[in-house]
Amino acid sequence: MTDTRGQQPPYETYSGPLPGERPQSGQSGGPYHPPQAYGAPASGTAAVRVPRTGARTTPRTRKARLRVAKADPWSVMKVSFLLSIALGICTVVAAAVLWMVMDAMGVFSTVGGTISEATGSNESNGFDLQSFLSLPRVLMFTSVIAVIDVVLMTALATLGAFIYNLSAGFVGGVELTLAEDE
């Protein structure tokens, strides 16, 4: 086959059926052989694939360098509020469990007896540690501390987001390298 300039094209055309088509009645009904990118090896020479030296055996990990340019103060405030509430609840529960364990071990009665003997006189019994460190009083004090902690942590995280945005405007923000495992 020649083109208009009288030269042979550098490729061969395939006139057989396309993949997925059935051969027409005039064509052979044998198995389909797709066109080859490279010609068949010359007769008598066997094509042997030679392994590359230094080829990687582990899958490649893609990496991307990203920059945190801005932190939205509203979203920081919402997240820090929820996390500080969770921390406050954990603090109250931990204080209650710790009080119950110490009471079951008899720490308050032993230490309270020692303190009442040391501070007492003939007329009075002295300081009563067990009534001062009762469970309701300890839980109330812990709850007040937890509420103050929620307010302070939320305010400080929001202020931190504003300060980060100001400093990121000057220096560009924090750069992170993220890697994808395959």
Side-chain angles (χ1 to χ4, degrees):
M1 188 187 276
T2 60
D3 63 0
T4 57
R5 291 174 290 181
Q7 297 176 348
Q8 285 283 19
Y11 56 87
E12 292 182 23
T13 57
Y14 177 73
S15 61
L18 294 175
E21 291 182 350
R22 295 180 184 259
Q24 296 176 356
S25 61
Q27 296 176 344
S28 65
Y32 171 72
H33 298 289
Q36 299 293 319
Y38 302 104
S43 63
T45 61
V48 177
R49 184 174 179 168
V50 179
R52 293 186 310 175
T53 58
R56 279 195 298 259
T57 58
T58 59
R60 182 177 175 178
T61 302
R62 295 190 314 172
K63 292 183 180 179
R65 290 190 65 163
L66 300 174
R67 182 173 48 97
V68 180
K70 183 183 178 203
D72 184 32
W74 177 249
S75 66
V76 169
M77 185 182 79
K78 290 187 292 186
V79 169
S80 66
F81 178 71
L82 290 177
L83 290 176
S84 61
I85 283 179
L87 184 66
I89 291 171
C90 289
T91 303
V92 171
V93 169
V97 168
L98 183 64
W99 187 91
M100 288 180 202
V101 167
M102 289 176 69
D103 188 47
M105 291 172 51
V107 172
F108 296 125
S109 61
T110 306
V111 174
T114 305
I115 290 177
S116 65
E117 284 180 16
T119 59
S121 63
N122 292 339
E123 297 93 33
S124 66
N125 291 341
F127 182 72
D128 188 14
L129 183 66
Q130 285 180 317
S131 65
F132 182 74
L133 291 180
S134 63
L135 181 62
R137 187 176 276 185
V138 168
L139 290 181
M140 183 184 70
F141 179 73
T142 307
S143 299
V144 168
I145 296 296
V147 168
I148 292 171
D149 184 46
V150 166
V151 172
L152 285 177
M153 282 180 54
T154 303
L156 287 175
T158 307
L159 181 65
F162 279 113
I163 292 172
Y164 177 79
N165 289 339
L166 287 174
S167 65
F170 293 122
V171 296
V174 175
E175 287 189 11
L176 302 173
T177 302
L178 304 177
E180 178 184 29
D181 292 334
E182 292 186 26

